[in-house]
Amino acid sequence: MGNLPTNDTLPIRLNNLQSLPGTIVPEYPVITYPQSAAYGDAISNGFFYRGTAIPGLYGKFVFGDITTGRLFCCNWEDMLAAQDGVASTTAAMQPVIFVWDDPNDSPDAGVKSFDRFYGIVEDGYDFRGGPDSDLPGAATISGGRADIRLAVDAAGELYVTSKSDGMIRSLGTVFVTQPVDRLLAPGVSTTFTASAAAASTPTYRWQRRASENAAWTDLSNNPVFSGVTTATLSLNAPGYEYNGSRFRAVATCSGAEAFSLGAALDLRFIPDAWLTTYFNATEKADAAISGDLADPDWDGLVNLLEYAFDFDPEKDSSAVAPKAERVGANVRLIFPVPHASTMNYTVQKSTDLVTWSTSGVTLSTAAGKTTATVPISAAPNAYLRILVLPK
């Protein structure tokens, strides 16, 4: 970049002959590159990458050069830092190197590494019978034009379109079939299926996340799970302990991994008759509203607890929820047990909210209510909770 003028302003042009009063101070770009063989002729569009197919690009701004088909990326933090009002300050940019296996070459050369789309587009152009010796159009650096633009889908995955050979190519291993949520009764078998499109045939493995804050862990074939290294994961009569789990597929191609979206397993213990009392057909089909672990009225009690205590899941039940009270030398907790024949009601205590046990807790049941009693002397700083599980 050359030296800037002392008065770094621009006139406000109305047309080629007229200017409006006043001037404006120009905004300088945060990303620039020269017209050279290492870069290209003209910047195309770009996107911040939010997909899962290419973890190394997540959160980076990915863009390309129209004629050469080169791809680059920048960190958001570097772009933000370059917005300092100084024209010479620009963000560092890195080239994106990728691999591709030409589906039309013979003999098959296998997967090769590329630093630009120009050669890929030229192969596609030639295969389709393009008449030019290289690529159509004209450009200072590349000669012909790959003519690429970037696009993004609803899952945040990137695609490169090239007008010269009329193609749309996914950038990385992309899941074309995502696993979908399952809502079913405990003990009912089901499957999750995913499939990925990649330069070569991908391999698969399945992972499970037991709860929202848990880590994803690889699955092994066992009496409950089978097909853990295929595109379809089968669950054989999963028990209620798997309720609320999420499952995702990991596809590996040419050493690169891509992750599918996570799909939820919602096991519904609550009887349909009770759900019908409070939810319409659409709400019953939506686990986020009527699932055992859903809390549609935002009162802190999930539907399974509302059912366990015979509360209304669409009204705030916090005022009538079981509460501990001091009675003499004891702490007492009284709660209804309307479904004792099908559910286990257990009271546990803890001093650290990490380790829970029933030690020192005495239970008695009468007239459809259970009373839990804990001597204060045995646990002066204890917490109590009610654990409700299907039998």
Side-chain angles (χ1 to χ4, degrees), residues 34-181:
Q35 282 190 319
S36 68
Y39 297 95
D41 291 281
I43 294 177
S44 74
N45 63 329
F47 296 92
F48 282 100
Y49 181 63
R50 301 299 185 194
T52 60
I54 319 170
L57 287 181
Y58 187 83
K60 297 180 183 293
F61 183 69
V62 183
F63 61 100
D65 182 82
I66 293 175
T67 64
T68 63
R70 291 214 67 179
L71 298 182
F72 307 94
C73 66
C74 279
N75 292 320
W76 162 246
E77 294 81 5
D78 294 341
M79 296 170 66
L80 193 63
Q83 189 67 27
D84 59 359
V86 179
S88 59
T89 304
T90 57
M93 50 188 281
Q94 299 85 34
V96 175
I97 309 300
F98 48 93
V99 295
W100 184 66
D101 186 356
D102 187 346
N104 303 312
D105 59 348
S106 182
D108 183 11
V111 176
K112 295 189 291 184
S113 179
F114 292 83
D115 67 352
R116 65 194 66 204
F117 267 88
Y118 190 95
I120 294 173
V121 175
E122 186 174 19
D123 287 343
Y125 177 79
D126 292 341
F127 180 78
R128 293 187 168 202
D132 283 303
S133 58
D134 45 19
L135 283 175
T140 302
I141 301 300
S142 62
R145 298 162 56 101
D147 240 332
I148 70 158
R149 304 295 190 278
L150 275 69
V152 66
D153 66 13
E157 302 300 346
L158 285 169
Y159 297 81
V160 175
T161 68
S162 46
K163 288 193 285 185
S164 293
D165 65 343
M167 294 293 293
I168 302 174
R169 296 177 174 91
S170 64
L171 190 60
T173 302
V174 175
F175 277 90
V176 293
T177 301
Q178 297 280 2
V180 296
D181 297 343

Side-chain angles (χ1 to χ4, degrees), residues 175-179 192-196 204 206 230-233 248-249 260:
F175 277 90
V176 293
T177 301
Q178 297 280 2
F192 291 102
T193 297
S195 62
Y204 296 93
W206 284 88
T230 70
T232 297
L233 173 69
R248 73 179 183 185
S260 75

Side-chain angles (χ1 to χ4, degrees), residues 26-354:
E27 287 281 345
Y28 288 97
V30 297
I31 301 172
T32 66
Y33 63 74
Q35 282 190 319
S36 68
Y39 297 95
D41 291 281
I43 294 177
S44 74
N45 63 329
F47 296 92
F48 282 100
Y49 181 63
R50 301 299 185 194
T52 60
I54 319 170
L57 287 181
Y58 187 83
K60 297 180 183 293
F61 183 69
V62 183
F63 61 100
D65 182 82
I66 293 175
T67 64
T68 63
R70 291 214 67 179
L71 298 182
F72 307 94
C73 66
C74 279
N75 292 320
W76 162 246
E77 294 81 5
D78 294 341
M79 296 170 66
L80 193 63
Q83 189 67 27
D84 59 359
V86 179
S88 59
T89 304
T90 57
M93 50 188 281
Q94 299 85 34
V96 175
I97 309 300
F98 48 93
V99 295
W100 184 66
D101 186 356
D102 187 346
N104 303 312
D105 59 348
S106 182
D108 183 11
V111 176
K112 295 189 291 184
S113 179
F114 292 83
D115 67 352
R116 65 194 66 204
F117 267 88
Y118 190 95
I120 294 173
V121 175
E122 186 174 19
D123 287 343
Y125 177 79
D126 292 341
F127 180 78
R128 293 187 168 202
D132 283 303
S133 58
D134 45 19
L135 283 175
T140 302
I141 301 300
S142 62
R145 298 162 56 101
D147 240 332
I148 70 158
R149 304 295 190 278
L150 275 69
V152 66
D153 66 13
E157 302 300 346
L158 285 169
Y159 297 81
V160 175
T161 68
S162 46
K163 288 193 285 185
S164 293
D165 65 343
M167 294 293 293
I168 302 174
R169 296 177 174 91
S170 64
L171 190 60
T173 302
V174 175
F175 277 90
V176 293
T177 301
Q178 297 280 2
V180 296
D181 297 343
R182 300 298 187 196
L183 176 61
L184 60 157
V188 175
S189 298
T190 189
T191 60
F192 291 102
T193 297
S195 62
S200 58
T201 302
T203 60
Y204 296 93
R205 74 179 193 275
W206 284 88
Q207 295 181 324
R208 174 192 174 214
R209 188 174 68 183
S211 62
E212 189 66 29
N213 297 319
W216 288 97
T217 58
D218 289 344
L219 293 174
S220 300
N221 288 321
N222 59 32
V224 176
F225 302 115
S226 60
V228 299
T229 57
T230 70
T232 297
L233 173 69
S234 296
L235 281 69
N236 179 36
Y240 202 75
E241 64 270 23
Y242 295 104
N243 189 29
S245 296
R246 299 188 75 84
F247 297 87
R248 73 179 183 185
V250 183
T252 302
C253 179
S254 302
E257 291 185 339
F259 300 86
S260 75
L261 300 177
L265 176 66
D266 286 292
L267 299 177
R268 175 171 286 168
F269 171 82
I270 301 173
D272 187 72
W274 187 85
L275 293 171
T276 302
T277 303
Y278 300 103
F279 302 112
N280 60 37
T282 301
E283 293 170 333
K284 283 170 58 179
D286 188 347
I289 297 175
S290 60
D292 285 11
L293 302 181
D295 182 13
D297 57 5
W298 293 82
D299 62 357
L301 297 174
V302 298
N303 287 332
L304 185 63
L305 291 177
E306 302 269 16
Y307 168 71
F309 298 131
D310 247 356
F311 294 156
D312 186 337
E314 296 188 310
K315 293 182 180 179
D316 187 349
S317 304
S318 57
V320 294
K323 293 180 176 62
E325 59 179 357
R326 179 168 180 168
V327 180
N330 299 315
V331 173
R332 190 172 66 183
L333 186 63
I334 302 175
F335 53 91
V337 288
H339 305 292
S341 62
T342 58
M343 308 190 76
N344 288 318
Y345 299 78
T346 305
V347 176
Q348 299 176 324
K349 69 178 179 64
S350 173
T351 57
D352 58 7
L353 295 177
V354 176

